[in-house]
Amino acid sequence: MRGFRGLVLGVLMSVGAIAGARAQAVEIEYWQYVFDARIKAMNELIKRFEAANPGIKVKHTTFPYADYQTKIAAAVPAGQGPDVVQLYYGWLDNFVGAKFIQPLPRDAFPHDVIEKEFYPIVQTMKRDGEYYGLPTAVRTLALFYNKKLFQEAGLDPNKPPQTLDEYLEAAKKTVKRDAAGNMLSAGAVIDMPGQDLHWWREVLLRQMGGKPYSDDNKTVAYDSEAGAKALNWYADLQRVHKVGQAGFMDEGQAAFRAGRAAMTVDGSFRLGAFGGIKNFEWGVAELPASADGKRSNFASYWVNAITAKPTGAKLEAAKKFMAFTTSPEAMQVWLDMVGELPARKAAAETEKNLAHPIYGPFLKALNYSQATVFVDELAQRQVGLDMANRVFIQNQDAKASLAEAAKAEQAILDRFYKK
Amino acid sequence: MTANTEVARSSGRLWQGLTLQQKQVVWAWGFLAVPILFYGLIRFYPTVEAFVISTTNWNLMNSPSFVGLANFKRLMADPVFWQVFRNTFLYLIIGTPLSLVLAFTIAYHLDRVRFMHGFIRALYFLPFLTTATAMAWVWRWFYQPVPIGLINDVISSLGFSQQPFLRSTTQALPAVLAPAIWAGLGFQVVIFLAGLRAIPTTYYEAARIDGVSDFAILRKITLPLLKPTIIFLVVFSSIGFLRIFDQVYNMTSGDPGGPLNATKPLVLMIYQTAFSSFDMGYAAAQTVVLFLVLLCVSLLQLRLLRDR
């Protein structure tokens, strides 16, 4: 009897131990889209995270970008899919509306800490008083310039233009034409389908005293004196000063890479492509300020969020993983391996990072960047492209074109917010 | 034993009772059942599903709710839709006759060539084998301004002003249409050659004996006897132009559909509405319209060409 009772007790203890051990080993799933550098960076982060948290395993799953949103849309309502997910900040309203993601638990992510430690663009992640995601990979704009073309034009290759007036002067000096007047090399790229639309709407417009949308984002606000001033300034680069030409070399970044554009406005995501340039030396500068020193920039970013799926132990694990991926350490890894900028001041503003000749201008911009919310990014982009094309191709008056654009875009916003 | 035997005998008697013809019909339908089922699932179910989705406000993220004909009303009031609709028909009205006349002219003269006939025919067919995407990007490069655009480089060196082509609201659609016509030319030439070869030589011999002119032979013998070929190519070509997408999308990817929607066809609008805006209900409504247009155009062509 004593032997039997002891055996039973031993078995029960063993079962309990095994169950306990199993309870300790929590597995969560993380999804992002396919991009080599990002996959490597995340694998590195997961390795570090699992080393620091022996009881948690992270399964890393990726999908082609084109399928990514639809995969999430199909998986999460079915109770499958990721526990932590990466999404583009512009998708937030759709994801919140569809209940794909849950608010970040305040115990792990206190609002005062978020607002103190992250750049102001994090505000775009707030809905109805709750934060739903935290940025991990930010992109801003900067001025890329061709030092060789500057030198040939008699300009100091280490002193890029600091103001819009200086920008225009540099463009005039560096543009090249043939005997028939055809452009051979642009002084300034004009490429609305590239990043110029963001430059116009988020930077030039604000520098001229306007803003693109109302504070609640529901009303178009660029149909104004400032809007016309900004659009005319931009269009005059081609119409009046002839320092650039829409469609030259097909794409602005292609013109710059070929050494046929002295200056172009592009994003930090272009560093990978421009990194391959061998024929000339290029530099990066902050976007030119207005005459009175006003600066602005546009930041877009990817965030990590916790889906509606995890509860209990999985939720605790997801919180830890979210906290880790948004830590300064993780953001530095991301900057080094992917080239995308940190969203946390501590990670961005190290002396080494700010002094970096290439990353520095992008990082400094984080302090004065805006992250505008788009409800239908491509449709709203098309409105902007058409606005510019009416001016460039049909010689429409800037004010009339702005009015038409504002009307079309307001319809897009109305359709979304009345849903 | 008795009961079993009776049942077996009944079954046998049922099958034996059929006539030979009835047995053949049963076998035929048995074999046809699988392809009919397949075709129904793969073809008709998605079509019906599109009609259903077009009456909802589905955006991929929400549960669809019924909105009746709201998507169609919105479509009718959308100025972009009407421009896109017009573009789609411009592709059809300009593209189909141009490509057929060009293909017939080439085939007609190629048919008379003996030396290097096969080689020349292969050359015409080659563009048909090239992927539309690769072709579009090459032509996109052709259309660029100086100093990299092939066409503008030539024009400029001859002393003329360069042309905007894809950057123009008036030149862009013909510019996109040209490589689309060129791409399909080879196929049409080969089909016309087959049609020409199918005409009995006895007709031509009789005509020549009677001293009929070449033009009269073309008008009275060749074209009438090519009618089935022409019908096929008109329908095939029309549907192709109504559904044009690859060339447009790849030649104008920076501003899809060209400046101010100058080249945007209905299929591209559907694609953008569905997979960029995720406005599935609205996209399905556009699909229904495209389906009806294709149906009407095909039926109209078949009726007109058959009556003639």
Side-chain angles (χ1 to χ4, degrees):
Chain A
M1 269 318 202
R2 180 177 299 156
F4 177 76
R5 196 174 292 120
L7 177 63
V8 169
L9 186 60
V11 169
L12 287 174
M13 289 177 65
S14 300
V15 170
I18 294 168
R22 187 176 297 127
Q24 292 297 321
V26 180
E27 186 181 72
I28 57 175
E29 192 166 353
Y30 177 76
W31 283 16
Q32 66 168 336
Y33 71 91
V34 172
F35 192 84
D36 259 12
R38 284 160 151 261
I39 295 173
K40 285 174 185 153
M42 182 49 70
N43 284 336
E44 169 64 24
L45 290 181
I46 288 172
K47 197 171 81 178
R48 296 190 190 191
F49 175 76
E50 288 181 344
N53 297 271
I56 302 176
K57 290 198 73 65
V58 181
K59 182 185 176 187
H60 184 195
T61 305
T62 57
F63 296 96
Y65 180 78
D67 295 335
Y68 187 60
Q69 267 201 79
T70 54
K71 284 289 181 182
I72 298 171
V76 173
Q80 298 155 34
D83 300 285
V84 179
V85 67
Q86 195 178 70
L87 63 135
Y88 188 61
Y89 83 105
W91 302 348
L92 188 73
D93 281 308
N94 279 332
F95 274 49
V96 172
K99 295 184 166 59
F100 289 168
I101 55 181
Q102 56 178 293
L104 295 179
R106 286 174 185 250
D107 56 338
F109 305 97
H111 287 198
D112 55 320
V113 172
I114 290 174
E115 279 151 24
K116 180 186 169 194
E117 297 191 1
F118 281 78
Y119 284 106
I121 54 178
V122 74
Q123 295 290 325
T124 314
M125 284 296 106
K126 205 175 193 182
R127 292 285 181 284
D128 301 322
E130 296 284 3
Y131 281 100
Y132 280 86
L134 289 177
T136 54
V138 189
R139 295 91 171 258
T140 59
L141 305 177
L143 180 69
F144 290 86
Y145 67 101
N146 182 323
K147 294 187 176 183
K148 184 180 173 189
L149 289 177
F150 266 53
Q151 197 131 38
E152 288 173 5
L155 298 168
D156 186 341
N158 294 310
K159 283 185 180 167
Q162 294 298 310
T163 66
L164 292 174
D165 288 339
E166 289 175 12
Y167 175 86
L168 180 53
E169 284 307 308
K172 286 177 177 175
K173 289 192 167 84
T174 50
V175 65
K176 295 179 186 176
R177 297 182 173 281
D178 66 13
N182 297 319
M183 185 170 295
L184 297 178
S185 181
V189 156
I190 293 177
D191 190 17
M192 221 36 158
Q195 295 307 311
D196 285 4
L197 178 55
H198 295 313
W199 185 30
W200 174 80
R201 182 174 50 204
E202 306 289 344
V203 184
L204 296 177
L205 179 58
R206 297 180 200 275
Q207 288 174 324
M208 309 274 174
K211 63 182 180 180
Y213 306 102
S214 60
D215 286 344
D216 64 3
N217 204 58
K218 295 181 178 178
T219 307
V220 172
Y222 55 69
D223 182 14
S224 63
E225 285 299 317
K229 193 176 169 190
L231 186 52
N232 278 319
W233 184 89
Y234 179 76
D236 282 352
L237 293 173
Q238 172 173 314
R239 297 183 303 189
V240 174
H241 310 297
K242 303 193 201 303
V243 295
Q245 178 183 305
F248 179 70
M249 295 286 290
D250 194 32
E251 289 179 314
Q253 55 101 7
F256 187 80
R257 254 201 284 195
R260 291 185 181 271
M263 295 183 290
T264 187
V265 169
D266 221 317
S268 46
F269 42 81
R270 196 65 70 194
L271 293 173
F274 289 172
I277 294 174
K278 305 283 189 238
N279 299 327
F280 61 90
E281 194 184 345
W282 51 272
V284 183
E286 288 178 84
L287 292 180
S290 61
D292 59 354
K294 188 184 289 182
R295 289 194 187 273
S296 182
N297 206 301
F298 173 64
S300 63
Y301 55 85
W302 286 79
V303 311
N304 284 333
I306 301 176
T307 66
K309 176 186 165 193
T311 56
K314 288 210 173 193
L315 178 56
E316 291 304 309
K319 283 155 69 178
K320 287 196 175 107
F321 186 61
M322 266 288 293
F324 179 77
T325 58
T326 56
S327 67
E329 177 198 358
M331 291 189 184
Q332 187 65 49
V333 168
W334 208 263
L335 175 62
D336 294 339
M337 294 184 72
V338 185
E340 283 170 338
L341 313 174
R344 224 167 180 138
K345 294 172 186 174
E349 291 172 6
T350 64
E351 197 166 326
K352 178 189 169 190
N353 283 347
L354 288 179
H356 197 286
I358 292 175
Y359 290 131
F362 292 106
L363 292 169
K364 285 169 188 162
L366 287 170
N367 282 294
Y368 49 81
S369 286
Q370 312 282 334
T372 299
V373 173
F374 303 110
V375 301
D376 183 346
E377 185 170 15
L378 290 177
Q380 289 178 265
R381 174 179 181 272
Q382 191 66 57
V383 170
L385 298 183
D386 291 348
M387 174 188 73
N389 278 331
R390 283 192 293 271
V391 173
F392 282 129
I393 297 178
Q394 299 182 331
N395 291 310
Q396 191 179 32
D397 176 69
K399 286 182 182 175
S401 188
L402 281 164
E404 229 177 286
K407 184 182 174 188
E409 190 159 3
Q410 189 63 56
I412 295 171
L413 296 178
D414 289 347
R415 193 156 44 240
F416 182 86
Y417 285 111
K418 288 174 182 172
K419 195 178 295 181
Chain B
M1 291 301 290
T2 304
N4 286 341
T5 305
E6 284 175 4
V7 169
R9 197 174 296 119
S10 284
S11 301
R13 194 175 298 118
L14 182 63
W15 174 251
Q16 293 300 328
L18 297 178
T19 66
L20 179 62
Q21 187 171 337
Q22 284 172 329
K23 286 175 183 173
Q24 288 173 337
V25 169
V26 170
W27 274 109
W29 275 105
F31 282 115
L32 283 173
V34 170
I36 287 173
L37 189 67
F38 176 87
Y39 202 67
L41 280 178
I42 301 299
R43 277 288 184 178
F44 294 121
Y45 173 71
T47 303
V48 172
E49 181 75 6
F51 276 84
V52 172
I53 293 174
S54 71
T55 63
T56 71
N57 67 348
W58 189 38
N59 71 356
L60 217 68
M61 305 278 181
N62 63 1
S63 301
S65 52
F66 183 73
V67 295
L69 295 179
N71 284 322
F72 293 95
K73 287 175 188 164
R74 179 180 157 195
L75 201 60
M76 296 299 114
D78 188 347
V80 173
F81 168 72
W82 289 111
Q83 182 180 353
V84 163
F85 198 76
R86 190 196 73 133
N87 286 347
T88 301
F89 274 95
L90 280 177
Y91 283 116
L92 171 68
I93 290 164
I94 300 173
T96 298
L98 248 183
S99 67
L100 288 182
V101 168
L102 201 54
F104 176 77
T105 303
I106 291 167
Y108 184 75
H109 288 96
L110 189 56
D111 189 47
R112 297 162 123 76
V113 169
R114 294 305 173 203
F115 180 66
M116 282 176 58
H117 171 91
F119 178 67
I120 297 172
R121 187 177 60 189
L123 281 186
Y124 276 109
F125 199 70
L126 212 54
F128 186 70
L129 300 177
T130 310
T131 63
T133 301
M135 188 181 298
W137 278 91
V138 171
W139 278 82
R140 176 172 174 163
W141 161 56
F142 285 171
Y143 286 129
Q144 294 307 310
V146 167
I148 56 168
L150 181 68
I151 298 173
N152 275 317
D153 280 345
V154 171
I155 288 175
S156 268
S157 68
L158 295 177
F160 299 102
S161 298
Q162 62 175 342
Q163 295 299 309
F165 295 122
L166 298 175
R167 287 285 308 162
S168 158
T169 54
T170 52
Q171 293 179 5
L173 193 141
V176 167
L177 195 50
I181 290 172
W182 177 66
L185 201 64
F187 176 77
Q188 290 172 9
V189 167
V190 168
I191 297 296
F192 268 126
L193 280 173
L196 288 168
R197 292 294 169 84
I199 297 172
T201 56
T202 52
Y203 289 115
Y204 292 122
E205 288 164 2
R208 273 194 291 275
I209 288 169
D210 287 351
V212 182
S213 71
D214 274 351
F215 181 72
I217 290 175
L218 174 65
R219 202 163 54 88
K220 296 289 188 179
I221 298 176
T222 308
L223 288 180
L225 291 175
L226 270 183
K227 186 174 172 184
T229 303
I230 293 172
I231 291 173
F232 168 73
L233 284 177
V234 166
V235 173
F236 186 87
S237 178
S238 300
I239 291 174
F241 283 118
L242 285 169
R243 300 197 307 179
I244 190 170
F245 177 87
D246 291 347
Q247 286 87 0
V248 182
Y249 185 70
N250 285 285
M251 290 175 78
T252 64
S253 58
D255 184 356
L260 299 169
N261 303 308
T263 65
K264 184 178 291 187
L266 186 47
V267 177
L268 179 51
M269 184 176 177
I270 293 169
Y271 174 84
Q272 289 179 314
T273 306
F275 300 115
S276 298
S277 299
F278 297 111
D279 201 343
M280 291 303 181
Y282 194 42
Q286 294 166 33
T287 302
V288 168
V289 170
L290 178 64
F291 170 77
L292 294 176
V293 166
L294 287 170
L295 189 65
C296 290
V297 169
S298 299
L299 293 179
L300 189 69
Q301 284 171 337
L302 290 174
R303 177 167 295 277
L304 288 179
L305 292 168
R306 187 169 295 148
D307 287 350
R308 198 174 294 161

